[in-house]
Amino acid sequence: MFTCELCSVGTELLLGDILNTNAQYLSRELAALGIAVLHQGTVGDNPQRLADELSASLKRSDIVILTGGLGPTADDITKEVCCELLGFQLVRDESILRSIAAHFQKRGSVMPASNLKQADVPASGTVFENTRGTAPGMALEKDGKCVILLPGPPKEMSAMFDISVRPFLLNKYADGVIVSRSIRTFGIGESAMAERIADMLDGENPTVAPYAKEGEALVRVTAKAESAEAAHALLAPVVSEITARLGEFVYGIDAGSLQETVVKLLLEKKLKAAFAESCTAGYVAKRLTEIPGASEVFDCGVVTYSNAMKVKLLGVSEQTLREHGAVSEQTAREMAEGVRAVSGADVGVSVTGVAGPGASEKKPAGLSYIGICGKEGTFAVRFETGREHDREYNRYVTSSKALDVLRRYINSL
Amino acid sequence: MFTCELCSVGTELLLGDILNTNAQYLSRELAALGIAVLHQGTVGDNPQRLADELSASLKRSDIVILTGGLGPTADDITKEVCCELLGFQLVRDESILRSIAAHFQKRGSVMPASNLKQADVPASGTVFENTRGTAPGMALEKDGKCVILLPGPPKEMSAMFDISVRPFLLNKYADGVIVSRSIRTFGIGESAMAERIADMLDGENPTVAPYAKEGEALVRVTAKAESAEAAHALLAPVVSEITARLGEFVYGIDAGSLQETVVKLLLEKKLKAAFAESCTAGYVAKRLTEIPGASEVFDCGVVTYSNAMKVKLLGVSEQTLREHGAVSEQTAREMAEGVRAVSGADVGVSVTGVAGPGASEKKPAGLSYIGICGKEGTFAVRFETGREHDREYNRYVTSSKALDVLRRYINSL
């Protein structure tokens, strides 16, 4: 197995001004190619420390990928330091120069003189075109080691990786094929999930690993083989066994998100949904409409934050609010019925709860009721996130629960 | 100036399964204490590589802070490796053991035997209590160097840093006081902003640095002095000069977000706002209600994704939609008037635009109109994000623009 190290260059990372998403992106992509990442390092815009880091990494690993420090200013030093350390000479490339000038022209401006140095590339290296910006990337190969330089801005870096670097690595370093599948669940905790598949967690190929994230749990199954087909053949029985054991909690395999699953199900069954939200206040609608094409299954939502608006816009009865409170099964039912009537949608979905901080009506933060009204009738479910002091978590996980209740309802039709 | 290095421990980081937010958090906090972070490193759950990384960091810097690998399982090795390398002996602490057991008891479960080792602490180190989990943190001091071990889960780590580690570092290492203030703007690009204050960017104390993030730009002004009062005295004239030069674009100084500023302004002027959203589909309502107390200024929102719902719920005229299209100044005005009438709020705010992918009605993705209707009348403004291929960016920045138009409107009253 080939080994790789990552080196992020930029004083702004050491000051904590920006989050290093490049390291995660590259690590994940390299794992998928079967290349092991042994170390991630970050140094500032300091030539000596960068040279030391690169030397140490080259001693340990086959490949070093650096991100950042390819910009036009004086403190962008990555290319110069790497070429000097490895003995590559920089020459100005006229065609890159023209494409950088064109980049500025398209934006109605003139290329500043400082950008000239971005057209300098190693005389004998591989150059990767930057389709999203001006700094080209490059690969310097020497003595069986490979140093790859990529721009720091995540969108430029990931586009360059996709278009140029992955094929480059696949061609020279990919060591078999690694394929992963993710079984995504909502409503079961990570440890309860792991218990159901405890006997499968020790497998070596495929490997089975549980993860938890923001109220959801997933199992990643990863196989390595000579070809993608062979890897999929190893995965298939394990994935179906796990899916069977986790049953109703599984909302998708390799699905992007709960909202993607719900949009797909609504499209399949040719249904439209409408939302009436209180504590989540637009979060469910916002998440559903993240998915391109959501307009085919979603016409409208109503955010009724106050009791008065629940009465006025959704027709919730004042008596219900008085007797049971806004956070109750009864109110959730009437909100779902109200939004279905107002919108003319096939399914009305409601959310009413306590996001916190502070409990209301003697109800704890994190408690909510989700209502569903379809042509078969109306029901509501009670839900608790179990966290009293995390408003954003409660709002997010409650909106996930609403999507999951809707998913289960559509599946039951 | 004291120097520090960070070391994150965990194979899940090298696989790209999780994003390293701890490195950013600690870097920012250390910068605020006047401690320079020279290097960030990440290694897997591998004793030899961890020992090598720690040795290299200790040669270069005064302080090394490690996060992760303090859990109960066999692959959690940080404490054992550090104590062995530095020659500290581990002893079981009965009071920590009791508090770990209590942690489980509170959740209605029994402590697994594997958690026993979390009660092992160095005989002569400083122990930091974990108020959010079971693994205590610790500081090992030897030969003028200090190694600090913190748990990996970000919420446990940041709580421990706040409560125990910051005071520990302040006491031993803080080298003067560093105070930063952020001048936050919306509607001006980073480079246009930097141009207006170009002559101030070379200052040494305070330093002035421009940043850009998701459609916003901010200037951070940082001063170093013997006391907080002295630092603030250095900051004040610079902050007010920059604020004056950036004028109407400034939405807050040290303000958390546009939505926080808007909620504060609405509270001050005792106004209620209601939102009618199309392309942002609940994003504005969701962001406003992130702020605790938003219920005092916000009763309701309406998400009208389809034209039919714009007519039915908001009373937009069919003729307007036919003649001008859903994404038009006229529709934005009628949506704002409609939601104000429906809700009885003081201000109606509307958003209608093209999030993408793909243009609609011959209008480019990223184009939107924001409408405002108050008791003085109605107006709408045209906005373009300038990005045609980034649905999430367009939705986010368009919701920011709606909040900013509302902010400017309230300020004009």
Side-chain angles (χ1 to χ4, degrees), chain A residues 9 15 19 23 47 64 71 73 84 113 121 126 145 182 198 245 253 332-333 355-356:
Chain A
V9 185
L15 290 170
L19 187 61
V64 182
T73 69
E84 197 187 318
V121 296
T126 304
K145 304 275 180 170
S182 295
R245 292 204 201 169
I253 295 172
R333 293 170 62 108

mmCIF file of all heavy atoms in Angstrom, chain A residues 9 15 19 23 47 64 71 73 84 113 121 126 145 182 198 245 253 332-333 355-356:
data_model
loop_
_atom_site.group_PDB
_atom_site.id
_atom_site.type_symbol
_atom_site.label_atom_id
_atom_site.label_comp_id
_atom_site.label_asym_id
_atom_site.label_seq_id
_atom_site.Cartn_x
_atom_site.Cartn_y
_atom_site.Cartn_z
ATOM 1 N N VAL A 9 -0.386 24.644 4.085
ATOM 2 C CA VAL A 9 0.505 25.776 4.277
ATOM 3 C C VAL A 9 -0.312 27.060 4.419
ATOM 4 O O VAL A 9 -1.134 27.366 3.553
ATOM 5 C CB VAL A 9 1.465 25.926 3.075
ATOM 6 C CG1 VAL A 9 2.474 27.042 3.344
ATOM 7 C CG2 VAL A 9 2.172 24.606 2.783
ATOM 8 N N LEU A 15 -3.494 30.570 12.917
ATOM 9 C CA LEU A 15 -4.176 31.569 13.741
ATOM 10 C C LEU A 15 -5.617 31.164 14.025
ATOM 11 O O LEU A 15 -6.319 31.820 14.785
ATOM 12 C CB LEU A 15 -4.174 32.927 13.022
ATOM 13 C CG LEU A 15 -2.816 33.619 12.925
ATOM 14 C CD1 LEU A 15 -2.902 34.828 11.993
ATOM 15 C CD2 LEU A 15 -2.348 34.061 14.312
ATOM 16 N N LEU A 19 -10.963 27.150 8.859
ATOM 17 C CA LEU A 19 -11.068 25.736 9.197
ATOM 18 C C LEU A 19 -10.417 24.938 8.070
ATOM 19 O O LEU A 19 -10.613 25.234 6.902
ATOM 20 C CB LEU A 19 -12.557 25.397 9.311
ATOM 21 C CG LEU A 19 -12.960 24.025 9.800
ATOM 22 C CD1 LEU A 19 -12.444 23.766 11.203
ATOM 23 C CD2 LEU A 19 -14.498 23.925 9.794
ATOM 24 N N ALA A 23 -7.842 19.087 4.398
ATOM 25 C CA ALA A 23 -7.239 17.857 4.926
ATOM 26 C C ALA A 23 -8.275 16.740 4.954
ATOM 27 O O ALA A 23 -7.987 15.596 4.595
ATOM 28 C CB ALA A 23 -6.668 18.107 6.320
ATOM 29 N N PRO A 47 9.470 29.705 5.133
ATOM 30 C CA PRO A 47 10.213 28.793 4.243
ATOM 31 C C PRO A 47 10.945 27.678 4.994
ATOM 32 O O PRO A 47 10.908 26.520 4.577
ATOM 33 C CB PRO A 47 11.218 29.724 3.544
ATOM 34 C CG PRO A 47 10.606 31.088 3.628
ATOM 35 C CD PRO A 47 9.827 31.117 4.914
ATOM 36 N N VAL A 64 3.658 13.235 -0.972
ATOM 37 C CA VAL A 64 3.307 14.343 -0.085
ATOM 38 C C VAL A 64 2.442 15.307 -0.885
ATOM 39 O O VAL A 64 2.820 15.723 -1.986
ATOM 40 C CB VAL A 64 4.553 15.081 0.442
ATOM 41 C CG1 VAL A 64 4.134 16.202 1.397
ATOM 42 C CG2 VAL A 64 5.498 14.111 1.155
ATOM 43 N N GLY A 71 -0.495 31.404 -4.121
ATOM 44 C CA GLY A 71 -1.058 32.693 -4.543
ATOM 45 C C GLY A 71 -0.017 33.646 -5.075
ATOM 46 O O GLY A 71 1.170 33.313 -5.173
ATOM 47 N N THR A 73 1.052 36.600 -3.851
ATOM 48 C CA THR A 73 1.751 37.559 -2.987
ATOM 49 C C THR A 73 3.074 37.007 -2.469
ATOM 50 O O THR A 73 3.388 35.823 -2.614
ATOM 51 C CB THR A 73 0.864 37.994 -1.801
ATOM 52 O OG1 THR A 73 0.693 36.884 -0.932
ATOM 53 C CG2 THR A 73 -0.488 38.488 -2.276
ATOM 54 N N GLU A 84 13.013 24.280 -4.793
ATOM 55 C CA GLU A 84 14.404 24.399 -4.358
ATOM 56 C C GLU A 84 14.854 23.131 -3.638
ATOM 57 O O GLU A 84 15.916 22.584 -3.911
ATOM 58 C CB GLU A 84 14.573 25.617 -3.454
ATOM 59 C CG GLU A 84 16.053 25.997 -3.334
ATOM 60 C CD GLU A 84 16.296 27.080 -2.313
ATOM 61 O OE1 GLU A 84 15.505 28.045 -2.271
ATOM 62 O OE2 GLU A 84 17.261 26.939 -1.531
ATOM 63 N N ALA A 113 0.455 42.787 -11.796
ATOM 64 C CA ALA A 113 1.789 42.270 -12.084
ATOM 65 C C ALA A 113 2.165 41.123 -11.143
ATOM 66 O O ALA A 113 2.887 40.193 -11.513
ATOM 67 C CB ALA A 113 2.814 43.398 -11.984
ATOM 68 N N VAL A 121 6.338 27.534 -13.728
ATOM 69 C CA VAL A 121 6.140 26.118 -13.418
ATOM 70 C C VAL A 121 7.474 25.386 -13.546
ATOM 71 O O VAL A 121 8.372 25.844 -14.244
ATOM 72 C CB VAL A 121 5.083 25.466 -14.348
ATOM 73 C CG1 VAL A 121 3.717 26.099 -14.140
ATOM 74 C CG2 VAL A 121 5.503 25.578 -15.805
ATOM 75 N N THR A 126 4.812 17.801 -13.827
ATOM 76 C CA THR A 126 3.486 17.717 -14.427
ATOM 77 C C THR A 126 2.710 18.932 -13.935
ATOM 78 O O THR A 126 2.742 19.243 -12.746
ATOM 79 C CB THR A 126 2.772 16.437 -13.938
ATOM 80 O OG1 THR A 126 3.606 15.320 -14.238
ATOM 81 C CG2 THR A 126 1.418 16.269 -14.603
ATOM 82 N N LYS A 145 9.757 9.335 -5.167
ATOM 83 C CA LYS A 145 8.808 10.062 -4.319
ATOM 84 C C LYS A 145 8.048 11.056 -5.192
ATOM 85 O O LYS A 145 8.549 11.473 -6.254
ATOM 86 C CB LYS A 145 9.562 10.844 -3.227
ATOM 87 C CG LYS A 145 10.469 9.968 -2.366
ATOM 88 C CD LYS A 145 9.697 9.331 -1.224
ATOM 89 C CE LYS A 145 10.623 8.454 -0.375
ATOM 90 N NZ LYS A 145 9.991 8.007 0.865
ATOM 91 N N SER A 182 -22.463 3.199 2.618
ATOM 92 C CA SER A 182 -22.916 3.691 3.913
ATOM 93 C C SER A 182 -24.383 3.365 4.102
ATOM 94 O O SER A 182 -25.200 3.671 3.247
ATOM 95 C CB SER A 182 -22.743 5.207 3.985
ATOM 96 O OG SER A 182 -21.380 5.532 3.932
ATOM 97 N N ALA A 198 -22.776 -6.348 16.360
ATOM 98 C CA ALA A 198 -21.510 -6.506 17.095
ATOM 99 C C ALA A 198 -20.632 -7.597 16.491
ATOM 100 O O ALA A 198 -19.413 -7.442 16.375
ATOM 101 C CB ALA A 198 -21.792 -6.802 18.563
ATOM 102 N N ARG A 245 -30.839 -6.244 9.629
ATOM 103 C CA ARG A 245 -30.802 -6.166 11.092
ATOM 104 C C ARG A 245 -31.254 -4.798 11.603
ATOM 105 O O ARG A 245 -31.800 -4.696 12.695
ATOM 106 C CB ARG A 245 -29.389 -6.435 11.597
ATOM 107 C CG ARG A 245 -28.965 -7.884 11.371
ATOM 108 C CD ARG A 245 -27.885 -8.268 12.330
ATOM 109 N NE ARG A 245 -27.137 -9.424 11.853
ATOM 110 C CZ ARG A 245 -26.007 -9.837 12.396
ATOM 111 N NH1 ARG A 245 -25.485 -9.175 13.430
ATOM 112 N NH2 ARG A 245 -25.377 -10.891 11.929
ATOM 113 N N ILE A 253 -29.272 3.840 1.638
ATOM 114 C CA ILE A 253 -27.927 3.303 1.481
ATOM 115 C C ILE A 253 -27.216 4.214 0.503
ATOM 116 O O ILE A 253 -27.700 4.444 -0.608
ATOM 117 C CB ILE A 253 -27.985 1.848 0.994
ATOM 118 C CG1 ILE A 253 -28.632 0.996 2.087
ATOM 119 C CG2 ILE A 253 -26.593 1.335 0.643
ATOM 120 C CD1 ILE A 253 -28.922 -0.411 1.686
ATOM 121 N N ALA A 332 -50.247 19.628 17.428
ATOM 122 C CA ALA A 332 -49.523 19.102 16.264
ATOM 123 C C ALA A 332 -50.506 18.548 15.229
ATOM 124 O O ALA A 332 -50.353 18.786 14.023
ATOM 125 C CB ALA A 332 -48.536 18.016 16.696
ATOM 126 N N ARG A 333 -51.520 17.845 15.698
ATOM 127 C CA ARG A 333 -52.524 17.279 14.781
ATOM 128 C C ARG A 333 -53.263 18.391 14.035
ATOM 129 O O ARG A 333 -53.437 18.346 12.818
ATOM 130 C CB ARG A 333 -53.525 16.415 15.540
ATOM 131 C CG ARG A 333 -52.903 15.141 16.130
ATOM 132 C CD ARG A 333 -53.883 14.447 17.084
ATOM 133 N NE ARG A 333 -55.076 14.028 16.363
ATOM 134 C CZ ARG A 333 -55.369 12.765 16.079
ATOM 135 N NH1 ARG A 333 -54.573 11.794 16.493
ATOM 136 N NH2 ARG A 333 -56.454 12.464 15.409
ATOM 137 N N ALA A 355 -37.394 24.443 21.714
ATOM 138 C CA ALA A 355 -35.999 24.367 21.285
ATOM 139 C C ALA A 355 -35.047 24.714 22.423
ATOM 140 O O ALA A 355 -33.903 24.296 22.441
ATOM 141 C CB ALA A 355 -35.766 25.312 20.102
ATOM 142 N N GLY A 356 -35.520 25.472 23.367
ATOM 143 C CA GLY A 356 -34.663 25.954 24.444
ATOM 144 C C GLY A 356 -33.981 27.222 24.007
ATOM 145 O O GLY A 356 -34.126 27.635 22.864
#
